[in-house]
Amino acid sequence: MFCNQCEQTARGVACTTVGVCGKKEDVSALQDLLVNACRGLSTVAIDAAGRGIDTTEAGRFVADSLFTTLTNVDFEAASIAEKVDEAVRLREELACETCAEVSGPFVDLTPAASVEGQVAQGIELGSPWDVSRDDDVQALQQTTLYGLKGVAAYAHHARVLGQEDSAVYAYLFKALDAFGDASLDLNAWVGLTLECGEVNLRTMELLDAGNTGTYGHPVPTEVPLGHRPNKAILVSGHDLRDLQLLLEQTEGTGIDVYTHGEMLPTHAYPELKKHPHFYGHYGTAWQNQHKEFEAFPGAILMTTNCLMPPRDSYKERLFTSGPVHFPGIPHVDGDFSAVVDKALAMSGFADEADGGSVLVGFGRNTVLGVAPQVIDAVKNGAIKHFFLVGGCDGAKPGRNYYTDFVEQAPADTVVLTLACGKFRFFDKQLGDIGGIPRLLDVGQCNDAYSAIKIAVALADAFEVGVNELPLSMILSWYEQKAVAILLTLLHLGITDIRLGPTLPAFITPNVLQVLVDTFDIKPIAETAAEDLATILGTEAA
Ligand code: FSO
Ligand code: SF4
C-alpha cells in the first residue's frame, strides 16, 4: 500500500503497511482500484456527454465514490468492492458499441468476482496517478486527486440538500481522465490543480445554498457544554440532513440529541435549533473520540469523517450513515430507529451538569449583518487585525501552536474560526470589542465559503483586495477537504497563508517553491509568538 493523502501519514512520507488512521492494506488497495475504475468511467462519460447522453448519474457516483476514499470515512472492504462493480456497470451503460472505440486507462477494467480478487487487482494496478511521470507532475496529480476528494465530499453534502451543478461533475471527469494523458506537462497540471480550487468554490457555494436554503442562515446561539438527565444520542461528522432526520425521529421519545466535533455549528440553524430536544454539545475534536465516545452514556451516530476504528467499549452502540462504513458496525441510512432503540435501552445521563457554554452562528449572514459596526471599529482603530484560525485538528504534537496563537492574539484583534481545529480554543473567553465577540465561529470546514464571502465583503467595503485587508490566514490541515479549500484560496489569489502543523508529504520541493513564489505560502513558525510578531510588526514576546 502507498497512501500519503493526510497530514498524519507515516514518517511524514506515506503509510505503506497499515494506515496511521487504521486503514488496512486491503481497503487501501480497493480504494486505489475504485479511483482507477472511476478514471475509466470518467473517460467514457466524457465521450458519452459528447454524444449528448446525460451523465448525471455517473457524476453523482464518482463524487460519492471519491468521498468514501477520504481519510476516516470507509474502512469496510465489501462496501468499496461493491462500488467498483457499480463503476463498471455505469461505464458499460454509457459506452457505445457502434461508435469509435474510446481509449484510455481502465476503460476496459473488469473487476474480479470476489473482494479478495479485487484486493489483488488493486495491488497489481497500483496508485491512481501516473508513476511513470516525474516527481513534480506526480505531486500535482496527487494534489489534484486529494483536492477532488474534497470537492466530492462537498458535492455529496450539497446534493443531499438538492443542490448540484453538472459543471462540477464535468470537472471530476476531466481531471480523472487527465491522469492518463501523458501530453499534459507541468504547467498544464498547475492549471488543472488550481482549477480544482475554482470548482471547489462553486461546490462550496452549492453546499452553502443547500444548508442555508434548507435550514435558514445560522444565528448566534449559545450551546450548553454540559448535560441534563435524559436518554441521549450523540451525532458526529458533518451531515445536516442526517441530523434533521434524527431530530425528527427522536421527537417525543424523551431522548436528547447532542452534537460532537464538527456538528457543533449546526445548533445555529433555525430549522434545526427549533427542536427542544436538540440540547447541547458533548466533547471536542475527532481525535478525542475514543475517550469521549466511551464516556457518553447513549447511542452514537457517525455521519461522515472523521471516524476512528472504534473501541470495544462503545462498538455495540455506534452506528454509521452515508458514506461511512466500518466492519461490524451497523450502517443506517435515513431510518434511525435502531439508533433510537439503542438510546432508549441505555441509561442516558442521570444527572444535570453545567459545563458552561459556547457561542456559535457567525456565518456570513450574521457577520455581514454587523458589517457597519465592524468597519467602524476597524476605521477607529478598535479592531487592528483579523485572524482566520481555521482548519482541522489532529493527533500529532505541534498543534498547540493554534491554541497559543488564539490565546496570545492581542486584545484589539478578532479571531474568525471554522472546522474542528477550533476545539483547541473554542471555549476560551476572549471577550468582545464594542459588542463584537473577539472569537467568531463561522462554522464547519464545510462553511469555508462563508469565511470567503466575509473576507470579500470586507475587502469591497474598504475598496481593497482581500490581500490588502488587515486579515491573516493561519490554517491547519489534516485531510482532503482542507486540500480543496487551500486550492480555492490559491485560485482566489490569496497570499501569505500560514499552513501547519506540517506541510503535505505529497508536495515536492519544486512544487513548494512554485507555491512560495506565486502565493507566498509559508509553514507556521516554531511558535505562535513569532508569527504574531511578524504579522503585526511587533517584537516577539
Ligand atoms: Fe475535521 Fe475530520 Fe471538518 Fe475534516 S472532523 S478533519 S477538514 O474531516 O472535515 O474539520
Ligand atoms: Fe496514512 Fe492518512 Fe492514508 Fe490513513 S489516510 S493511510 S493515515 S496517509
Side-chain angles (χ1 to χ4, degrees):
M1 91 182 248
F2 182 95
C3 184
N4 62 356
Q5 68 179 3
C6 85
E7 184 265 338
Q8 67 180 359
T9 193
R11 305 169 313 280
V13 180
C15 297
T16 51
T17 47
V18 67
V20 175
C21 60
K23 179 161 87 180
K24 300 216 169 90
E25 192 165 20
D26 59 343
V27 166
S28 187
L30 288 165
Q31 288 182 344
D32 285 348
L33 185 65
L34 177 57
V35 176
N36 280 328
C38 285
R39 288 174 59 191
L41 169 59
S42 295
T43 304
V44 172
I46 291 169
D47 179 71
R51 289 183 271 114
I53 295 184
D54 182 1
T55 56
T56 309
E57 196 188 345
R60 291 172 179 162
F61 173 82
V62 168
D64 289 357
S65 296
L66 290 177
F67 192 2
T68 67
T69 70
L70 247 82
T71 303
N72 292 342
V73 175
D74 193 337
F75 293 84
E76 189 179 64
S79 74
I80 306 169
E82 265 174 38
K83 282 203 151 49
V84 174
D85 292 337
E86 180 65 3
V88 172
R89 190 193 68 73
L90 285 166
R91 190 193 71 211
E92 285 170 351
E93 214 172 82
L94 290 176
C96 167
E97 282 182 9
T98 55
C99 308
E101 209 173 296
V102 176
S103 62
F106 308 107
V107 291
D108 48 11
L109 173 80
T110 306
S114 66
V115 175
E116 297 71 31
Q118 285 195 14
V119 170
Q121 223 173 353
I123 292 170
E124 192 197 327
L125 296 174
S127 300
W129 51 85
D130 188 347
V131 293
S132 70
R133 302 297 300 269
D134 67 56
D135 287 352
D136 297 328
V137 169
Q138 285 192 54
L140 289 170
Q141 291 190 347
Q142 289 169 25
T143 309
T144 305
L145 175 61
Y146 303 151
L148 283 182
K149 294 184 180 200
V151 171
Y154 294 135
H156 170 94
H157 282 297
R159 190 186 88 232
V160 166
L161 296 173
Q163 297 286 332
E164 59 186 334
D165 182 347
S166 58
V168 172
Y169 300 147
Y171 175 74
L172 296 182
F173 296 150
K174 174 176 142 179
L176 286 172
D177 175 62
F179 285 88
D181 186 346
S183 72
L184 296 174
D185 63 9
L186 194 72
N187 275 341
W189 272 104
V190 169
L192 267 169
T193 307
L194 290 178
E195 191 180 346
C196 183
E198 182 180 4
V199 173
N200 187 52
L201 181 63
R202 170 68 184 138
T203 316
M204 288 195 300
E205 181 184 28
L206 291 169
L207 176 56
D208 180 273
N211 284 344
T212 58
T214 312
Y215 304 111
H217 279 280
V219 293
T221 303
E222 204 171 322
V223 184
L225 298 176
H227 57 254
R228 64 184 182 189
N230 260 336
K231 307 276 186 187
I233 292 175
L234 188 61
V235 57
S236 192
H238 300 76
D239 199 293
L240 273 60
R241 170 92 180 135
D242 277 352
L243 173 61
Q244 175 206 334
L245 295 175
L246 183 68
L247 286 168
E248 288 166 2
Q249 293 172 27
T250 44
E251 198 91 68
T253 57
I255 296 171
D256 282 333
V257 174
Y258 291 78
T259 52
H260 178 267
E262 276 278 72
M263 295 304 273
L264 165 64
T266 61
H267 285 277
Y269 286 92
E271 284 301 309
L272 296 172
K273 65 182 279 183
K274 71 179 185 188
H275 295 276
H277 64 296
F278 187 25
Y279 179 67
H281 183 79
Y282 181 92
T284 53
W286 67 271
Q287 77 278 1
N288 301 321
Q289 68 189 252
H290 280 155
K291 167 169 102 291
E292 292 169 356
F293 288 1
E294 197 163 275
F296 188 79
I300 304 158
L301 176 65
M302 180 56 92
T303 65
T304 58
N305 45 351
C306 284
L307 174 71
M308 295 170 82
R311 285 191 177 159
D312 288 345
S313 53
Y314 59 84
K315 237 179 178 164
E316 47 76 46
R317 53 194 169 90
L318 176 68
F319 299 82
T320 61
S321 66
V324 193
H325 292 89
F326 196 91
I329 301 296
H331 186 80
V332 285
D333 260 337
D335 175 359
F336 297 120
S337 48
V339 189
V340 172
D341 290 348
K342 179 57 77 178
L344 290 173
M346 293 187 62
S347 66
F349 287 109
D351 61 342
E352 179 119 22
D354 179 3
S357 65
V358 287
L359 201 55
V360 298
F362 293 93
R364 63 191 164 94
N365 205 49
T366 306
V367 175
L368 297 179
V370 294
Q373 291 98 297
V374 172
I375 291 161
D376 278 352
V378 174
K379 284 188 173 154
N380 68 29
I383 296 178
K384 290 266 168 29
H385 208 89
F386 296 92
F387 297 108
L388 176 66
V389 186
C392 329
D393 208 348
K396 281 211 316 210
R399 287 180 180 265
N400 57 327
Y401 165 97
Y402 297 94
T403 323
D404 295 346
F405 195 100
V406 171
E407 278 180 348
Q408 294 168 18
D412 53 7
T413 61
V414 169
V415 176
L416 295 151
T417 189
L418 51 81
C420 61
K422 71 167 76 89
F423 289 106
R424 300 254 159 190
F425 46 78
F426 80 129
D427 52 355
K428 303 254 174 275
Q429 302 303 324
L430 297 190
D432 66 288
I433 298 176
I436 301 160
R438 284 195 56 229
L439 182 60
L440 299 171
D441 185 348
V442 181
Q444 298 181 334
C445 54
N446 294 14
D447 298 309
Y449 178 78
S450 209
I452 290 169
K453 289 304 258 188
I454 292 169
V456 170
L458 285 178
D460 286 350
F462 287 106
E463 295 179 349
V464 296
V466 171
N467 290 328
E468 278 76 57
L469 281 175
L471 165 71
S472 304
M473 301 203 183
I474 319 294
L475 306 183
S476 52
W477 84 285
Y478 169 63
E479 44 85 344
Q480 299 78 56
K481 282 188 275 179
V483 176
I485 294 169
L486 186 64
L487 293 177
T488 297
L489 296 175
L490 300 185
H491 153 74
L492 291 170
I494 296 186
T495 58
D496 204 23
I497 293 169
R498 284 173 170 74
L499 181 65
T502 50
L503 295 180
F506 48 87
I507 297 289
T508 55
N510 286 340
V511 172
L512 180 62
Q513 200 54 50
V514 171
L515 294 177
V516 171
D517 292 346
T518 320
F519 300 104
D520 200 16
I521 194 167
K522 37 184 79 82
I524 55 171
E526 194 89 350
T527 65
E530 260 176 80
D531 274 341
L532 276 164
T534 311
I535 293 166
L536 300 172
T538 53
E539 289 290 308

